Amino acid sequence: MNEFDIVVDAITSRRSVRGFLPEPVGIDLINKILATASYAPSGSNIQPWHVHVVMGEKRDELSRQLLDAHNRKRPESREYDYYPVNWRSPYIERRRETGWGLYETLGIQKGDRQASAQQHGRNYSFFGAPVVLIFSIDNDLQQGSWLDYGMFLQNIMVAARGCGLHTCPQAALANYPDIVKSQLGIDDGRTVICGISMGYEDTDCLANRFRPPRIGLDEFVTFHS
């Protein structure tokens, strides 16, 4: 396999894994992945990222508190709008296709709110991953820095694949920022962006059989000459 094929394989095999093995991930490997990801470009090289690596007892306590808030149906209080305020075509159709595709794989019927809530709650147990990364950004940084941050996050996920790991990026982990900030000592001058659960895939997990479709080049590429 040549260098290009290695990169392509890491990118195209990256997916949101929703079932992990309890097998621990070594700190040296985590550091290698994050150091590699830090080569992401950023405007004027300001490197706006800040990462909290959460494992062990702290991971379990963070999970317990987030799950408790979810199970008590505490209103979510994300610090920014991740999704459109008003959904429209073609994005609403893509969202529904992905959501119902996963639920169909899991045998969850439309209208089964209890099963849907239980599946959503698995976000807060990090799908069993032994490591969760929490990301925050300074409040006074602008949209360009958020673009930079996205490239950093992608680098983490691709680098993890290159090391034989899988990941699940989770906007849901920003739903209760007060809990996350309190547990991890993040001050109010930073916004909690999201989290990434990371570990080794549980290949027996039913949710991991789902593969969301990708749109073709003809739907998002325009050539000019």
Side-chain angles (χ1 to χ4, degrees):
M1 185 179 290
N2 60 41
E3 292 181 355
F4 178 73
D5 289 336
I6 292 172
V7 173
V8 169
D9 183 67
I11 293 172
T12 57
S13 66
R14 186 223 61 81
R15 53 193 171 81
S16 295
V17 163
R18 294 179 175 86
F20 292 89
L21 297 172
E23 182 178 348
V25 179
I27 292 178
D28 288 346
L29 182 54
I30 296 170
N31 284 336
K32 177 180 180 180
I33 290 168
L34 294 175
T36 300
S38 72
Y39 282 84
S42 60
S44 297
N45 198 37
I46 66 172
Q47 303 171 76
W49 30 82
H50 192 97
V51 187
H52 289 263
V53 181
V54 190
M55 302 181 293
E57 293 182 0
K58 178 58 71 173
R59 172 217 176 273
D60 296 343
E61 178 60 18
L62 178 61
S63 174
R64 187 190 67 77
Q65 293 204 19
L66 291 172
L67 272 171
D68 180 65
H70 170 74
N71 291 334
R72 288 189 291 107
K73 297 182 172 57
R74 202 191 105 179
E76 297 174 355
S77 55
R78 193 195 303 267
E79 297 173 294
Y80 69 99
D81 290 325
Y82 185 94
Y83 290 110
V85 176
N86 298 306
W87 285 92
R88 63 175 175 82
S89 185
Y91 309 112
I92 185 64
E93 290 86 2
R94 293 174 188 167
R95 184 191 195 198
R96 288 170 176 163
E97 182 181 24
T98 296
W100 288 119
L102 174 61
Y103 281 9
E104 183 178 0
T105 300
L106 295 172
I108 298 174
Q109 302 298 315
K110 290 184 179 181
D112 189 342
R113 295 182 180 275
Q114 181 177 358
S116 297
Q118 288 176 345
Q119 176 60 28
H120 182 66
R122 295 193 67 237
N123 278 282
Y124 304 120
S125 63
F126 317 126
F127 300 110
V131 180
V132 60
L133 310 176
I134 301 292
F135 304 92
S136 63
I137 189 170
D138 290 330
N139 293 344
D140 57 347
L141 296 179
Q142 300 300 316
Q143 288 176 319
S145 292
W146 286 68
L147 291 173
D148 299 338
Y149 221 120
M151 291 184 276
F152 173 67
L153 296 174
Q154 175 74 356
N155 271 5
I156 290 174
M157 292 182 280
V158 172
R161 284 301 301 127
C163 295
L165 300 172
H166 271 286
T167 55
C168 186
Q170 296 169 259
L173 299 186
N175 285 344
Y176 302 107
D178 58 321
I179 294 175
V180 174
K181 288 182 174 182
S182 175
Q183 282 292 303
L184 304 184
I186 301 173
D187 64 51
D188 287 335
R190 298 209 304 268
T191 295
V192 177
I193 295 178
C194 66
I196 291 179
S197 293
M198 183 168 67
Y200 296 95
E201 180 187 8
D202 179 359
T203 56
D204 292 329
C205 177
L206 192 61
N208 290 338
R209 299 179 187 177
F210 175 66
R211 299 290 191 277
R214 298 293 173 174
I215 61 174
L217 294 182
D218 59 317
E219 294 189 63
F220 70 91
V221 177
T222 302
F223 286 95
H224 302 268
S225 60

